[in-house]
């Protein structure tokens, strides 16, 4: 073995020497047990999927593991065809795209997910943006091509990225058509659509929320990164013409950004106004930088963190490095929980306790960008403006910002002086906010693994020289598993003193000092499988199937929630199905998913709740004593023998995996044996099998007399009032969507009436005896009604249907409400809703059947 000091190349294969193999460096369970914040306690998931990290900084370690748990809260399995995606908010707000994804943080999210040992999640998410109906890749500025190339640098798969090349090119060209100004040679964007709603530039316009268009450092850096990534992928594809064209685009953006967005007086990059903007008599003139004109013309401030973004993509020359001299100074950006998004003494500096003001807050999104950019500076040409110590201090500050009441947490933004999330922590919305990165700066910055396209592994740590040890293990890289270990004495990890780089358990480079090292490591690419694992239970598109059915359902929960692709275990905000209060101290509850067609499956995963104390006024939920599985053969439930259980005993706050012989079934039911009479519950239920190609949808069920997928002819839906934001035809199109997105509902929002009705005209006489109402409830202007009543038409009058039996008894939003009654023959049926207070009623779907 050849070993050199400093950053040197070590090539074991050339000499034919086989380095010694080492056992696992870190005790994974011990590291997991050291943390006390866990909501998701699926130790098997963490051990098999994430790199493990240990350092002398306990708070840094806690934030690192918290960020992996945070990722799981936003991981959503969208559909059997699209696979995985991520949400930004814990809910799925109305402005999000399919499955709740928002493009603004997608670059950060992909940078985090690429370090999962299995690349499936990140590849699914990269593909999602271009192959999933309702994705919105250009609603906000982002760097999708660059992030996809970043994934390729960790998990190389030439076929995957080359397959996406047409989509990445089309996305870039879409940005060009809408946002590129050929006369200026730069892209423009509003602050709002750049992720910065109220900012120091927008506040100089009449529309302080959206602001005015400007040639901003952000979007131009993103498009530079995307252009270079597309060029790199085109070279892999052997498409030299495309590669040359996009390299030229990147070069031109670099030249124009450096020439037009840089202010040599203030040593910073600034937005350049696209047009004249007048407010209160002051005019910000076209093609001027922040504070060169307008009310604050000549002011020496105006610096924002976005001025550092070009370095995130390696865009600018080293002559601009003096810009970084302000970052670590209290008079500019440095703060106890910073950095501030705008420099401290700016005339418009403002820390506001209401969202979304980016004029002074500590903004995790921008802090992540700054950390990545700073690491690039420190890995670039020698300079004396910033240091490794600055990087570590900023990283520690960011870690410290991840706290609320002493516990790991993150919301949209924090007060830079107190760390308070007040005003940026909307309950049920901003909890555990996924709009930034932390794992990636730990791996690529602090530990120093610098992803590359060639066969060189480069590690240049920015960790403090004062540290006696740190270790990062099970890092996926080019088909190998890396461990990067610093041990000053050699006693902690038993590898000998010094800095060690291991691949697949074998040392490939080392140094006696904590310094940069490199080694050769041929890429190992596993052959792609034709089949892929598919979760057949998920239902995010709202079709009748897969359909979740529970033996009982507690108020405020729904069976449908447990097949929405998301899972977390905390009670607020909820994401769960809970059984109702049991009538007997012992017994079972059941939770079933009907597929509507045959599916070949072999594994069920139950994400069990375990909240023994419950919420005020409600008994707790415990993991069941035992779980049995049954399969539906089209007529009855049959026992399904389980061959393997992990864990052996049902356990809450984690996935419980039950495996069985692969077989075709039309449904799977879990029979949950209650523990000590307690209620049971799930945050998610999955049923997995392997599949090739697109997954055919199950046919619509027979017997739904209201079903009309086209909205044409009969059955015909009508209403006394329909909100201008909705369509009454959506109420019987066969799709049930309880979330704000995708938009599929009829509501009476803004109705002047105290009561409103919804009618289904069958076009001819039908026998009816059962109505299912998927009541929509957004917690605001549309909520569950206080009451509803079913009426039928006798040819001349509407008649109230007697002997109606409801489940649940009182109307509940976010779930299917069922009313049954003695069979009635009628041509038309209507439901009259009595609205709750000032809110109005609505449905995602109505189904009507004979029984």
């Amino acid at each position: 073995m050849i070993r050199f000091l400093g950053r040197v190349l070590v090539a074991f294969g050339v000499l034919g020497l086989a380095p010694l193999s080492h056992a696992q460096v870190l005790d994974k369970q011990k590291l997991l047990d050291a943390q006390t914040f866990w909501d998701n306690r699926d130790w098997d998931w963490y051990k098999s999927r994430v790199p493990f990290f240990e350092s002398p900084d306990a708070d840094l370690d806690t934030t690192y593991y918290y960020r992996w748990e945070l990722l799981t809260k936003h991981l959503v399995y969208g559909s059997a065809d699209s696979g995985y995606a991520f949400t930004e908010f814990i809910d799925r707000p109305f402005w999000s795209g399919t499955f709740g994804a928002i493009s603004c943080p997608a670059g950060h999210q992909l940078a985090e997910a690429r370090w999962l040992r299995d690349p499936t999640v990140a590849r699914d998410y990269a593909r999602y943006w271009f192959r999933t109906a309702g994705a919105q890749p250009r609603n906000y500025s982002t760097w999708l091509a660059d992030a996809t190339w970043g994934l390729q640098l960790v998990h190389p798969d030439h076929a995957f990225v080359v397959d996406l090349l047409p989509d990445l090119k089309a996305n870039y060209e879409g940005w060009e058509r809408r946002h590129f100004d050929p006369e200026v040679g730069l892209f423009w964007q509003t602050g709002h659509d750049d992720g910065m709603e109220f900012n120091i530039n927008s506040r100089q316009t009449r529309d302080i929320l959206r602001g005015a268009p400007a040639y901003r450092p952000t979007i131009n850096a993103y498009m530079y990164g995307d252009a270079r990534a597309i060029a790199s992928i085109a070279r892999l594809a052997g498409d030299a013409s495309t590669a040359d064209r996009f390299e030229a685009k990147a070069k031109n953006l670099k030249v124009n950004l450096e020439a037009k967005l840089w202010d040599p007086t203030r040593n910073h990059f600034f937005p350049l106004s696209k047009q004249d903007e007048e407010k209160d008599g002051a005019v910000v003139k076209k093609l001027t930088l922040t504070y060169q004109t307008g009310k604050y013309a000549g002011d020496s401030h105006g610096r924002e963190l976005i001025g550092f973004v070009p370095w995130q993509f390696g865009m600018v020359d080293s002559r601009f490095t003096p810009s970084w001299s302000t970052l670590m100074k209290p008079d500019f950006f440095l703060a106890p929980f910073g950095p501030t998004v705008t420099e401290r003494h700016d005339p418009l500096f403002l820390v506001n306790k209401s969202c979304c003001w980016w004029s002074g807050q500590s903004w995790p999104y921008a802090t992540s960008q700054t950390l990545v950019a700073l690491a690039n500076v420190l890995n670039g040409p020698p300079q004396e403006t910033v240091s490794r110590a600055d990087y570590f201090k900023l990283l520690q500050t960011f870690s410290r910002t991840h706290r609320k009441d002493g516990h790991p947490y993150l919301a949209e933004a924090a007060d830079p002086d107190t760390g308070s999330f007040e005003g940026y922590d909307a309950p049920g919305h901003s909890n555990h906010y996924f709009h930034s990165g932390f794992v990636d700066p730990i791996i690529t910055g602090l530990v120093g693994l610098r992803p590359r396209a060639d066969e060189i592994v480069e590690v240049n740590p920015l960790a403090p020289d004062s540290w006696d040890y740190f270790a990062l293990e099970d890092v996926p890289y080019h088909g190998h598993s890396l461990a990067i270990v610093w041990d000053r004495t050699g006693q902690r990890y038993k590898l000998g003193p010094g800095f060690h780089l291991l691949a697949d358990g074998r040392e490939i480079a080392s140094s006696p000092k904590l310094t940069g090292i490199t080694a050769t490591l041929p890429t190992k690419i596993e052959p792609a499988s034709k089949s892929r694992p598919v979760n057949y239970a998920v239902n995010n598109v709202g079709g009748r199937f897969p359909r979740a059915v529970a033996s009982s359902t507690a108020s405020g929960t729904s069976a449908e929630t447990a097949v929405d692709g998301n899972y977390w275990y905390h009670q607020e905000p909820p994401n769960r199905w809970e059984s109702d209060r049991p009538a007997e101290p012992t017994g079972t509850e059941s939770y079933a998913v009907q597929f509507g067609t045959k599916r070949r499956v072999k594994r069920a995963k139950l994400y069990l709740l375990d909240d023994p104390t419950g919420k005020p006024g409600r008994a707790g939920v415990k993991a069941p004593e035992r779980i049995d599985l049954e399969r539906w053969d089209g007529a009855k439930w049959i026992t399904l023998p389980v061959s393997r259980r992990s864990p052996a005993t049902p356990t809450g706050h984690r996935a419980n995996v039950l495996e069985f012989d692969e077989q075709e079934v039309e449904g799977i039911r879990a029979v949950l044996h209650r523990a000590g009479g307690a209620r049971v519950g799930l945050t998610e239920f999955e049923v997995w099998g392997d599949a090739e190609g697109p997954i055919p949808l199950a046919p619509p069920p027979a017997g739904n007399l209201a079903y009309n997928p086209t909205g044409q002819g009969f059955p015909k839906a009508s209403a006394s009032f329909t909100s201008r934001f909705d369509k009454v035809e959506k109420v019987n199109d066969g799709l049930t969507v309880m979330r704000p997105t995708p938009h599929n509902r009829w509501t009476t929002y803004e109705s002047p009436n105290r009561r409103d009705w919804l009618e289904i005209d069958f076009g001819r006489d039908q026998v009816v005896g059962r109505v299912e109402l998927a009541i929509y409830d957004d917690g605001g202007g549309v909520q569950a009604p206080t009451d509803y009543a079913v009426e039928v038409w006798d040819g001349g009058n509407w008649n109230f249907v007697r002997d109606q039996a409801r489940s649940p008894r009182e109307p509940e939003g976010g779930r299917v409400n069922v009313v049954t009654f003695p069979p009635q023959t009628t041509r038309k049926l209507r439901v009259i809703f009595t609205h709750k207070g000032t809110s109005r009623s609505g449905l995602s779907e109505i189904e009507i059947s004979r029984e």
Side-chain angles (χ1 to χ4, degrees):
M1 177 176 63
I2 294 179
R3 182 179 298 167
F4 296 102
L5 301 182
R7 188 180 302 179
V8 295
L9 180 65
V10 182
F12 294 103
V14 174
L15 299 180
L17 300 178
L20 295 176
S21 179
H22 299 280
Q24 201 77 28
V25 173
L26 296 172
D27 185 332
K28 294 182 178 181
Q29 192 60 52
K30 183 178 179 180
L31 290 172
L32 294 170
D33 292 342
Q35 307 302 328
T36 59
F37 62 81
W38 295 112
D39 176 52
N40 178 3
R41 302 167 195 159
D42 194 344
W43 311 139
D44 292 340
W45 188 90
Y46 296 111
K47 290 177 182 179
S48 63
R49 286 172 173 79
V50 312
F52 273 67
F53 175 66
E54 179 186 49
S55 79
D57 190 322
D59 284 342
L60 203 66
D61 292 4
T62 293
T63 305
Y64 176 83
Y65 289 105
Y66 166 68
R67 287 301 301 245
W68 280 120
E69 183 186 77
L70 182 148
L71 179 145
T72 70
K73 295 179 190 296
H74 292 273
L75 181 61
V76 54
Y77 191 89
S79 73
D81 279 322
S82 67
Y84 290 101
F86 286 106
T87 60
E88 173 183 333
F89 296 93
I90 202 76
D91 61 347
R92 303 181 191 179
F94 66 87
W95 62 88
S96 63
T98 301
F99 314 138
I102 297 174
S103 60
C104 188
H108 285 314
Q109 293 169 335
L110 280 164
E112 298 283 278
R114 66 175 173 164
W115 297 111
L116 287 165
R117 292 165 63 186
D118 182 347
T120 300
V121 168
R123 286 180 185 153
D124 282 354
Y125 193 40
R127 188 190 300 110
Y128 159 89
W129 289 107
F130 312 109
R131 307 283 175 87
T132 302
Q136 301 166 348
R138 294 188 297 280
N139 272 25
Y140 293 89
S141 308
T142 193
W143 54 97
L144 292 174
D146 178 85
T148 300
W149 181 246
L151 168 60
Q152 168 74 4
L153 296 182
V154 175
H155 292 284
D157 185 336
H158 296 0
F160 173 78
V161 292
V162 168
D163 179 64
L164 280 182
L165 180 59
D167 302 286
L168 297 171
K169 289 167 57 180
N171 185 59
Y172 193 99
E173 290 159 358
W175 279 111
E176 285 183 315
R177 285 192 298 272
R178 194 172 72 180
H179 285 270
F180 187 69
D181 185 337
E183 292 186 5
V184 178
L186 292 169
F187 289 85
W188 63 265
Q189 181 61 289
T190 63
H192 179 283
D193 293 345
D194 217 19
M196 295 179 66
E197 289 87 343
F198 302 100
N199 62 78
I200 62 172
N201 287 288
S202 74
R203 289 163 59 198
Q204 298 179 73
T205 73
R206 295 183 181 183
D207 184 354
I208 67 170
L209 171 62
R210 301 201 67 84
Y215 309 100
R216 297 169 62 82
T218 44
I219 189 171
N220 285 286
Y222 303 163
M223 300 312 295
Y224 170 86
D226 276 7
R228 292 193 64 192
I230 291 169
S232 296
I233 296 170
R235 297 236 177 261
L236 286 181
D239 185 350
S241 174
T242 293
D244 292 343
R245 182 160 57 93
F246 277 86
E247 284 171 355
K249 292 177 186 289
K251 180 180 179 180
N252 289 335
L253 284 175
K254 170 183 166 64
V255 168
N256 287 319
L257 179 138
E258 290 179 346
K260 299 176 182 180
L261 302 192
W262 176 257
D263 184 343
T265 303
R266 290 176 285 177
N267 278 342
H268 205 70
F269 288 104
F270 294 88
L272 180 74
S273 58
K274 184 175 185 290
Q275 61 201 33
D276 288 354
E277 285 290 326
E278 183 275 332
K279 181 182 181 183
D280 299 331
V283 179
V284 174
K285 294 183 179 180
K286 177 180 179 180
L287 299 182
T288 61
L289 300 174
T290 303
Y291 297 162
Q292 286 185 337
T293 58
K295 180 178 179 179
Y296 303 101
D299 190 276
S300 62
H301 301 96
R303 297 174 186 85
E304 301 171 281
L305 286 183
I306 63 172
F308 297 125
V309 169
W311 281 273
Q312 180 186 353
F313 300 90
M315 185 179 189
V316 293
D317 297 337
S318 59
R319 70 179 186 273
F320 298 100
T321 305
S323 178
W324 288 87
S325 64
T326 60
L327 178 65
M328 304 305 291
K329 295 179 180 178
D331 284 346
F332 292 89
F333 296 105
L334 186 66
F337 296 91
T340 57
V341 74
T342 303
E343 63 175 302
R344 178 74 68 169
H345 296 301
D346 189 276
L348 288 173
F349 181 87
L350 176 67
V351 175
N352 199 309
K353 293 184 179 180
S354 64
C355 195
C356 299
W357 291 74
W358 309 115
S359 303
Q361 306 295 135
S362 172
W363 188 23
Y365 181 93
T367 303
S368 299
Q369 291 183 304
T370 306
L371 281 165
V372 173
L374 180 55
N376 287 341
V377 172
L378 294 170
N379 277 273
Q383 48 76 42
E384 297 182 356
T385 307
V386 283
S387 66
R388 288 169 55 186
D390 293 329
Y391 183 89
F392 183 61
K393 183 174 183 178
L394 185 63
L395 184 65
Q396 276 190 315
T397 302
F398 190 30
S399 175
R400 187 166 57 245
T401 307
H402 285 71
R403 297 294 184 273
K404 179 180 179 180
D405 300 327
H407 302 289
Y409 189 80
L410 193 65
E412 295 186 54
D415 185 303
D417 297 313
T418 67
S420 170
F421 294 119
E422 184 178 356
Y424 292 79
D425 189 17
H429 178 62
S430 306
N431 312 66
H432 307 287
Y433 190 48
F434 192 20
H435 197 249
S436 61
F438 187 85
V439 168
D440 187 68
I442 288 282
I443 295 175
T444 62
L446 185 74
V447 175
L449 177 59
R450 309 296 294 171
R452 301 168 51 141
D454 58 17
E455 295 186 345
I456 303 299
V457 184
E458 178 184 355
V459 183
N460 186 33
L462 302 179
D465 288 326
S466 60
W467 275 8
D468 289 331
Y469 67 89
F470 69 80
L472 180 70
E473 187 174 28
D474 288 344
V475 188
Y477 192 73
H478 289 217
H480 300 272
S481 179
L482 301 185
I484 303 168
V485 180
W486 164 244
D487 189 350
R488 192 183 304 277
T489 67
Q491 295 303 304
R492 188 174 187 90
Y493 302 118
K494 310 303 181 185
L495 299 177
F499 193 37
H500 306 270
L501 174 61
L502 288 76
D504 305 322
R506 296 179 179 273
E507 187 171 277
I508 59 173
S510 68
S511 168
K513 296 181 179 180
L514 185 58
T515 188
I517 54 177
T518 59
T520 56
L521 186 67
T523 296
K524 181 174 66 176
I525 299 178
E526 298 294 333
S529 172
K530 292 184 179 180
S531 64
R532 56 189 171 85
V534 168
N535 173 18
Y536 286 112
V538 71
N539 189 343
N540 271 306
V541 296
R544 185 63 164 77
F545 297 110
R547 187 167 183 85
V549 181
S551 55
S552 70
T553 300
S555 174
T557 75
S558 73
E560 293 81 7
T561 302
V563 289
D564 68 351
N566 272 125
Y567 65 91
W568 63 80
Y569 302 90
H570 42 73
Q571 298 182 58
E572 295 297 338
N575 183 277
R576 55 179 53 204
W577 161 78
E578 296 177 6
S579 65
D580 207 352
R581 185 182 298 274
E584 302 294 334
T586 60
T588 63
E589 297 283 354
S590 66
Y591 185 94
V593 175
Q594 295 276 15
F595 301 130
T597 189
K598 289 183 178 180
R599 302 296 193 194
R600 191 164 187 83
V601 296
K602 59 183 178 180
R603 182 184 305 111
K605 297 178 73 172
L606 289 80
Y607 296 75
L608 295 175
L609 302 177
D610 194 345
D611 309 313
T613 58
K615 295 168 63 175
R618 176 179 291 178
V621 174
K622 292 184 179 180
E625 289 182 341
R626 191 174 86 246
I627 304 172
D628 295 326
L629 291 183
E630 297 175 338
R631 62 180 177 85
W632 181 251
D633 69 353
K636 61 184 180 299
W637 291 106
I638 300 172
T639 298
L640 179 59
V642 175
S643 58
R644 179 180 175 273
R645 300 172 185 265
S646 179
T649 302
T651 305
H653 288 259
R654 62 158 296 160
N656 289 248
V657 182
L658 284 71
E659 297 182 356
F660 46 86
D661 291 342
E662 188 173 23
Q663 56 195 280
E664 286 191 340
V665 302
E666 294 190 32
I668 292 286
R669 181 165 74 173
V671 179
L672 310 172
H673 296 258
R674 292 187 278 108
R679 298 185 304 118
V680 294
L682 296 166
T683 179
E684 194 68 13
F685 184 85
E686 300 173 348
V687 182
W688 292 85
D690 294 329
E692 296 180 21
I695 308 301
L697 297 175
N704 178 10
L705 304 174
Y707 179 62
N708 185 343
T710 67
Q712 303 297 313
F714 295 98
K716 183 178 181 180
S718 60
S720 57
F721 185 90
T722 298
S723 169
R724 59 195 171 102
F725 302 108
D726 305 311
K727 295 181 179 180
V728 71
E729 295 85 1
K730 295 292 185 181
V731 82
N732 62 332
D733 65 353
L735 301 178
T736 302
V737 181
M738 298 297 197
R739 296 181 182 270
T741 180
H743 194 109
N744 190 280
R745 55 186 172 270
W746 160 81
T747 78
T748 57
Y749 179 65
E750 298 182 326
S751 170
N753 309 317
R754 192 169 69 90
R755 293 186 179 89
D756 279 295
W757 51 260
L758 173 75
E759 174 188 312
I760 299 294
D761 185 342
F762 304 115
R764 60 186 177 87
D765 283 349
Q766 296 282 8
V767 178
V768 297
R770 179 185 177 95
V771 178
E772 298 187 18
L773 305 170
I775 297 179
Y776 182 77
D777 189 333
D778 64 11
V782 181
Q783 297 187 32
T786 58
D787 195 15
Y788 65 83
V790 177
E791 296 183 340
V792 293
W793 179 252
D794 67 3
N797 299 289
W798 286 104
N799 299 306
F800 176 78
V801 176
R802 300 187 180 278
D803 300 324
Q804 297 182 26
R806 297 180 180 179
S807 177
R809 293 183 179 180
E810 301 297 326
E812 285 194 19
R815 63 177 291 184
V816 174
N817 292 240
V818 180
V819 55
T820 58
F821 44 83
Q824 310 280 317
T825 300
T826 184
R827 176 187 167 118
K828 296 188 289 186
L829 178 148
R830 75 176 183 181
V831 184
I832 300 176
F833 299 91
T834 302
H835 304 311
K836 178 182 178 181
T838 58
S839 66
R840 291 298 179 258
S841 308
L843 300 178
S844 177
E845 192 70 9
I846 183 172
E847 295 188 7
I848 304 172
S849 58
R850 181 167 185 154
E851 56 185 13

